[in-house]
Amino acid sequence: MKPSTKIVWLGYGSVVLSIVWGLPGLACGLYALRLAKATTAAPTPIDPRTRRDIRGGTLLARAGIVLSGIVIAMVLYSWISNAILL
């Protein structure tokens, strides 16, 4: 699988996993961003379609990271509020 396609799929995975679980979505998004950074730093010229895939994948990964952060914050808030009430 080409790295640009992998970045897009990792971005989608980050969004989907962040809706249900926070940490796997966060890990998937961070890995997609790291892979995108390594792919764009390559010394060879990049095809415009590949560049568009990388840009879209990083956008999806960032959205997944934000959603994962919200899910993790809500879980932590729930645990803390339940511990205080007990």
Side-chain angles (χ1 to χ4, degrees):
M1 182 183 298
K2 294 187 311 185
S4 61
T5 307
K6 189 183 289 187
I7 293 168
V8 172
W9 281 108
L10 284 170
Y12 280 126
S14 174
V15 171
V16 169
L17 289 174
S18 68
I19 292 170
V20 180
W21 302 288
L23 289 177
L26 185 66
C28 191
L30 291 174
Y31 181 68
L33 289 178
R34 193 178 88 195
L35 187 62
K37 183 184 272 188
T39 303
T40 56
T44 59
I46 299 175
D47 182 43
R49 284 179 281 181
T50 304
R51 187 179 309 275
R52 188 174 56 236
D53 282 350
I54 293 171
R55 197 175 315 139
T58 55
L59 180 67
L60 286 169
R62 287 184 181 141
I65 289 171
V66 168
L67 289 173
S68 292
I70 292 171
V71 168
I72 291 170
M74 293 300 293
V75 167
L76 290 175
Y77 176 75
S78 174
W79 284 353
I80 291 170
S81 65
N82 285 337
I84 290 174
L85 293 176
L86 294 175

